[in-house]
Amino acid sequence: MGEMNIKVPRDRDGSFEPQIIPKRTKDISDIDRKVISMYVKGMSQRDISDTIEDIYGFKVSHEMISQITDCVLEELTEWQGRPLKKCYPFVFVDCMYVTVRHEYEVKETAVYTILGYDVNGRKDILGLWLNESES
């Protein structure tokens, strides 16, 4: 026990290279998920671009935001066309109101969700339907 000399390695020549995020760059690896999350919450492309600029310090073009959100449309089309099972012993129907922006107009819309349980007890969203009101 007592004093001990420790040699601290130095990097005066700048040879150290970080492994996770390269020098002088920002970590934007999940930017697409963040853009989709903001889009789903009803933010406009302009709001998304401004928010990313506030957080990360760089602008994202409206075209890039459109390309990211259009990827979700492909997955949505695939999900809508998936085959359903023949039997769902338990089916639950629920409705919730969400704010929907359509052609520069914002209004409350009823979204019906149908959830089915198959014979193995696995949940599956059978569909989503929009309506002007709950009826």
Side-chain angles (χ1 to χ4, degrees):
M1 304 294 172
E3 288 187 23
M4 178 183 280
N5 289 331
I6 299 175
K7 283 187 151 185
V8 178
R10 294 291 196 194
D11 190 30
R12 292 183 189 269
D13 62 348
S15 62
F16 174 73
E17 188 66 38
Q19 296 299 313
I20 298 174
I21 302 171
K23 288 192 268 188
R24 292 175 286 287
T25 62
K26 295 174 173 52
D27 180 17
I28 60 165
S29 56
D30 269 351
I31 197 75
D32 53 346
R33 283 190 8 201
K34 292 169 184 151
V35 166
I36 290 169
S37 175
M38 288 185 269
Y39 186 73
V40 166
K41 291 176 183 169
M43 293 177 71
S44 68
Q45 289 183 350
R46 186 178 313 280
D47 293 339
I48 293 170
S49 180
D50 292 343
T51 301
I52 289 175
E53 184 176 10
D54 289 344
I55 294 171
Y56 296 105
F58 63 89
K59 272 215 169 276
V60 175
S61 69
H62 298 291
E63 292 81 19
M64 180 179 174
I65 293 170
S66 277
Q67 288 173 352
I68 292 171
T69 55
D70 286 349
C71 292
V72 175
L73 296 176
E74 292 173 17
E75 289 181 40
L76 178 62
T77 305
E78 193 176 299
W79 177 79
Q80 287 175 328
R82 78 196 186 289
L84 295 176
K85 296 194 171 56
K86 291 183 180 182
C87 179
Y88 290 94
F90 298 101
V91 177
F92 298 93
V93 179
D94 193 15
C95 179
M96 67 177 176
Y97 281 91
V98 297
T99 304
V100 176
R101 182 178 305 166
H102 181 67
E103 295 179 4
Y104 304 105
E105 182 182 351
V106 177
K107 62 182 178 179
E108 293 286 314
T109 304
V111 178
Y112 290 95
T113 306
I114 299 185
L115 172 75
Y117 280 86
D118 66 10
V119 292
N120 299 322
R122 183 183 143 107
K123 289 187 270 187
D124 196 8
I125 299 289
L126 303 181
L128 301 167
W129 289 269
L130 300 177
N131 198 11
E132 294 289 323
S133 63
E134 188 174 359
S135 61

